[in-house]
């Protein structure tokens, strides 16, 4: 059924030495017992690849990229997982959807060409946006998250509002796309390439139509997808992409942002898409350390060692996910910080959800705030 | 009345009707037993309780080409699981907001309480709903569903 040779070539599968480093750093293996990246590779190489394609475990990987970083033989395990999922998906398999499959359906609905969304209501009049211009802000799925996760106290749209506030502070009035679609990140990582391609084409076409030269992202997943994956599937983009943290790090370097003091100890959760996938570790930290009064307290595992927030692509949320999240929250609390700063709306949601458990102990109770919201709060 | 309108513009909507096992499904059954004549343009999905109908179910129905979705359950106080239908209201409100964001008309979504004895009412509500959705025309999301 599956063609392993092609995939193995692309991902250096046959380089595997079975050293098991991948499994020892894998956050799922740590708590989830059954799952082992090393065994997944060994099984494939030893002729059981077809079996793997119908195995639930193919959907377990968080694609956080921890194993890639540690592999001494340069095996790209996350890419292997992704390619195998494409084949698995073709034969009708899929991961276990969390939240009743609402986000999976949502992204698929977004591929419809007749879609006319109503997603701009949040952009109130005090936020200055313009109809046309060179600078576009890609909001992502925040309006949907805002509705869906309101009951666990997550106001996702605060992120979008804060981004606009910061940009306005810098004298920029960004363009927003009224019919922007999901970037397709989750489809890309769960093997649905047909729908991914459709979303990519829609989004790139709309941005081109708007005439924007630079597109700014607050969501690391959208950013990664545009930066690394879109060019491979829809050709050259024809506009620049930049993440909010990179953009602002450049601005704080020449003092364009005026902050008032915030007396707080903060710790920062590196999102896997921004960190390990794109290597952006310093810009968010430069931004945070520029806010007067803020002290950055690092968790023992940070930067390329940062532990993932426990769930990806809205699939397979289970006890293992919860344990990863609680472990991470505990670690954040142990730094002595008052605030855990996240750079990805999904990390924010996942941690908030883990805390909303009524039995959650005090050792995981730490305030959580998004990087954009915190930055906007510190502006004069 | 409903039938006439449908014939006029040649469009038959596809409606997905979620019905809880203890009241509304029995209500639909009752409509059949009593030979109530009403529109056939709906498909029933039986759930144990209206509280089981998550936003994901409704979006999935739209994703697969439904033109309208009806969620139905027991009247307040009658839910077999005591507060299941109260939960259904919360979920329904959330779904409604998402449907709005997606630009779908809110009229394509409906929540009704129908008891096991209300066969006539089941028929009336389906007729009314089919009528309304027929006026709205096909869901804008239908065209791409199968690709
Ligand atoms: S059992 Fe009918 S609504 Fe709960």
């Amino acid at each position: 059924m599956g063609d392993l040779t092609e995939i193995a070539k692309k991902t250096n599968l046959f380089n595997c030495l079975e050293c098991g480093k991948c499994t020892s750093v894998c956050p799922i293996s740590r708590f989830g017992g059954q799952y082992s990246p090393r065994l997944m590779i060994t099984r494939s190489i030893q002729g059981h690849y077809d079996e793997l394609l119908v195995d639930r475990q193919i959907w377990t990987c968080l694609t956080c990229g921890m194993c890639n970083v540690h592999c001494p033989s340069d095996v790209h395990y996350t890419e292997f997982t992704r390619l195998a999922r494409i084949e698995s998906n073709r034969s009708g398999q899929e991961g276990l959807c969390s939240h009743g499959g609402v986000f999976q359906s949502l992204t698929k609905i977004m591929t419809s060409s007749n879609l006319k969304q109503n997603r701009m209501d949040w952009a109130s009049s005090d936020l200055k946006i313009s109809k046309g211009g060179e600078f576009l802000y890609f909001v992502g799925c925040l309006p949907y998250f805002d509705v869906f996760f309101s009951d666990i106290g997550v106001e996702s749209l605060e992120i979008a509002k804060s981004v606009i506030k910061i940009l306005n502070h810098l004298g920029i009035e960004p363009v927003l796309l009224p019919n922007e679609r999901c970037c397709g990140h989750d489809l890309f990582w769960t093997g649905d390439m047909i729908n991914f391609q459709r979303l990519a084409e829609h989004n790139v076409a709309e941005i081109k139509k708007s005439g924007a030269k630079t597109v700014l992202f607050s969501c690391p997943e959208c950013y990664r997808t545009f930066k690394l994956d879109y060019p491979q599937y829809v050709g050259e983009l024809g506009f620049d992409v930049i993440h909010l943290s990179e953009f602002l790090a450049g601005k704080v370097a020449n003092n364009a942002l005026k902050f008032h003091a915030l007396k707080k100890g903060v710790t920062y959760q590196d999102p896997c898409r921004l960190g390990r996938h794109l290597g952006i570790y310093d810009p968010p930290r430069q931004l945070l350390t520029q806010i007067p009064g803020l002290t950055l307290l690092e968790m023992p595992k940070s930067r390329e060692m940062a532990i993932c927030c426990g769930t990806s692509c809205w699939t397979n949320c289970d006890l293992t996910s919860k344990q990863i999240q609680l472990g991470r929250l505990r670690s954040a609390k142990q730094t002595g910080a008052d605030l855990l700063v996240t750079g990805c709306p999904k990390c924010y949601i996942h941690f908030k959800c883990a805390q909303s458990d009524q039995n959650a102990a005090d050792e995981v109770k730490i305030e959580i705030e998004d990087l954009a919201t915190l930055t906007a709060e510190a502006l004069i | 009345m409903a039938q006439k309108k449908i014939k006029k513009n040649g469009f038959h909507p596809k409606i997905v009707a979620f019905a809880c096992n203890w009241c509304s499904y029995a209500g639909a059954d009752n409509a059949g037993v009593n030979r109530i004549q009403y529109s056939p343009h709906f498909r029933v999905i039986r759930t144990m309780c209206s509280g089981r109908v998550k936003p994901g179910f409704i979006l999935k129905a739209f994703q697969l080409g439904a033109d309208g979705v009806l969620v139905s359950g027991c009247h307040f106080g009658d839910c077999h699981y005591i507060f299941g239908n109260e939960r259904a209201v919360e979920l329904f409100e959330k779904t409604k907001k998402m449907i709005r964001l997606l630009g779908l008309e809110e009229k394509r979504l409906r929540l009704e309480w129908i008891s096991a004895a209300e066969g006539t009412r089941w028929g009336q509500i389906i007729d009314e709903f089919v009528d309304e959705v027929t006026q709205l025309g096909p869901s804008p999301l239908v065209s791409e569903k199968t690709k």
Side-chain angles (χ1 to χ4, degrees):
Chain A
M1 169 168 71
D3 180 11
L4 184 66
T5 338
E6 254 319 287
I7 293 181
K9 234 187 270 165
K10 284 187 198 153
T11 57
N12 299 338
L13 220 56
F14 292 130
N15 287 9
C16 179
L17 301 170
E18 286 197 58
C19 69
K21 275 202 172 145
C22 44
T23 304
S24 63
V25 295
C26 175
I28 296 273
S29 308
R30 168 140 309 192
F31 296 106
Q34 303 291 314
Y35 183 71
S36 154
R38 176 182 68 85
L39 275 181
M40 296 290 274
I41 296 177
T42 312
R43 276 169 72 194
S44 322
I45 298 178
Q46 291 180 348
H48 303 290
Y49 178 60
D50 285 355
E51 231 171 73
L52 214 72
L53 294 183
V54 289
D55 192 330
R56 274 261 91 96
Q57 289 203 329
I58 198 75
W59 304 98
T60 303
C61 175
L62 297 165
T63 62
C64 74
M66 190 72 123
C67 46
N68 297 355
V69 172
H70 288 83
C71 177
S73 316
D74 201 27
V75 176
H76 303 298
Y77 184 73
T78 48
E79 186 63 5
F80 163 70
T81 302
R82 191 180 77 78
L83 295 172
R85 281 178 186 176
I86 296 178
E87 294 200 352
S88 184
N89 188 277
R90 248 182 243 139
S91 61
Q93 307 288 320
E94 56 180 14
L96 276 181
C97 303
S98 313
H99 307 294
V102 70
F103 294 108
Q104 281 78 3
S105 287
L106 197 67
T107 18
K108 285 183 189 145
I109 287 177
M110 293 239 191
T111 59
S112 155
S113 50
N114 296 331
L115 190 72
K116 285 192 193 62
Q117 294 172 82
N118 250 328
R119 49 179 292 147
M120 298 279 286
D121 290 357
W122 57 274
S124 50
S125 54
D126 54 320
L127 303 168
K128 287 191 230 92
I129 51 172
S130 59
K131 290 251 165 330
E134 303 211 328
F135 205 88
L136 190 140
Y137 168 45
F138 194 87
V139 181
C141 296
L142 294 176
Y144 294 94
F145 294 169
D146 195 79
V147 168
F148 200 79
F149 295 106
S150 52
D151 48 2
I152 52 165
V154 176
E155 287 173 17
S156 302
L157 275 172
E158 282 309 308
I159 300 174
K161 288 181 195 161
S162 303
V163 172
I164 310 252
K165 264 183 221 153
I166 301 167
L167 292 175
N168 287 170
H169 181 90
L170 290 164
I172 300 170
E173 294 180 13
V175 183
L176 303 182
L177 291 179
N179 207 13
E180 171 195 309
R181 292 151 199 260
C182 164
C183 67
H185 169 277
D186 296 352
L187 295 173
F188 183 78
W189 288 97
T190 48
D192 184 350
M193 298 315 287
I194 300 173
N195 283 320
F196 170 75
Q197 176 94 24
R198 256 185 226 140
L199 290 176
E201 280 163 9
H202 275 303
N203 277 326
V204 172
E206 291 239 358
I207 295 175
K208 280 193 175 146
K209 211 164 59 191
S210 79
K213 298 262 178 316
T214 309
V215 181
L216 180 96
F217 296 86
S218 55
C219 170
E221 296 195 340
C222 300
Y223 182 49
R224 186 223 130 97
T225 310
F226 267 76
K227 191 166 175 159
L228 302 183
D229 310 323
Y230 274 16
Q232 288 192 33
Y233 287 86
V234 292
E236 223 190 291
L237 297 180
F239 48 82
D240 292 331
V241 290
I242 189 164
H243 187 257
L244 180 78
S245 64
E246 292 176 291
F247 180 72
L248 294 184
K251 297 287 171 193
V252 287
N254 45 32
N255 281 327
L257 287 167
K258 301 271 173 287
F259 293 121
H260 61 71
L262 279 181
K263 274 254 154 295
K264 265 179 191 160
V266 299
T267 183
Y268 174 67
Q269 160 77 4
D270 287 277
C272 27
R273 266 55 190 166
L274 203 57
R276 279 183 294 267
H277 286 224
L278 291 162
I280 300 173
Y281 300 109
D282 289 322
R285 292 182 165 81
Q286 281 160 6
L287 179 61
L288 286 173
T289 44
Q290 279 302 314
I291 300 176
L294 221 62
T295 6
L296 182 61
L297 303 157
E298 294 284 5
M299 287 182 259
K301 290 201 187 307
S302 65
R303 303 173 74 96
E304 52 280 308
M305 303 291 277
I307 310 279
C308 166
C309 69
T311 322
S312 78
C313 304
W314 308 115
T315 47
N316 287 339
C317 180
D318 57 11
L319 195 59
T320 312
S321 315
K322 279 287 158 287
Q323 276 169 327
I324 297 173
Q325 284 150 8
L326 293 176
R328 198 60 181 153
L329 284 168
R330 230 172 275 133
S331 164
K333 181 97 186 186
Q334 275 160 11
T335 60
D338 312 294
L339 189 66
L340 167 63
V341 180
T342 52
C344 172
K346 286 193 187 168
C347 297
Y348 183 62
I349 291 167
H350 293 147
F351 287 136
K352 277 283 199 185
C353 174
Q355 281 182 333
S356 70
D357 180 351
Q358 284 176 347
N359 298 323
D362 278 345
E363 50 173 341
V364 299
K365 298 230 167 82
I366 176 169
E367 240 186 279
I368 310 173
E369 207 171 334
D370 187 84
L371 185 66
T373 343
L374 182 68
T375 312
E377 201 184 288
L379 287 178
I380 292 182
Chain B
M1 173 65 191
Q3 250 79 2
K4 261 183 219 151
K5 252 183 207 157
I6 291 163
K7 270 190 196 134
K8 227 179 183 173
N9 59 18
F11 159 66
H12 300 303
K14 282 196 202 91
I15 299 219
V16 173
F18 291 99
C20 87
N21 180 58
W22 304 102
C23 286
S24 305
Y25 192 81
D29 214 11
N30 185 290
V33 170
N34 290 319
R35 301 185 168 246
I36 310 262
Q37 296 297 311
Y38 65 110
S39 169
H41 302 296
F42 69 99
R43 288 106 167 120
V44 180
I45 296 179
R46 175 161 58 162
T47 56
M48 285 314 281
C49 174
S50 60
R52 178 71 182 94
V53 185
K54 287 192 161 195
F57 294 14
I58 297 174
L59 286 195
K60 180 103 185 188
F62 283 117
Q63 179 211 327
L64 295 178
D67 297 303
V69 176
L70 169 74
V71 181
S72 59
C74 317
H75 288 271
F76 276 139
D78 288 352
C79 173
H80 199 74
Y81 308 96
I82 304 171
F83 54 79
N85 46 9
E86 290 169 31
R87 175 92 180 112
V89 175
E90 284 167 28
L91 293 173
F92 186 81
E93 287 308 316
K94 218 186 223 186
T95 319
K96 221 164 154 186
K97 284 189 195 151
M98 295 190 103
I99 291 295
R100 213 193 100 71
L101 281 171
L102 279 169
L104 274 180
E105 299 87 346
E106 275 172 41
K107 277 196 175 159
R108 293 188 188 273
L109 200 53
R110 194 160 168 163
L111 177 65
E112 292 288 350
W113 310 128
I114 302 163
S115 84
E118 294 175 319
T120 328
R121 210 167 96 84
W122 172 270
Q124 272 166 5
I125 285 172
I126 294 281
D127 265 349
E128 234 178 77
F129 194 34
V130 167
D131 220 20
E132 261 180 34
V133 178
T134 310
Q135 309 259 319
L136 290 173
S139 155
L141 310 177
V142 173
S143 58
E144 301 247 338
K145 60 149 207 264
T146 42
K147 280 193 240 158

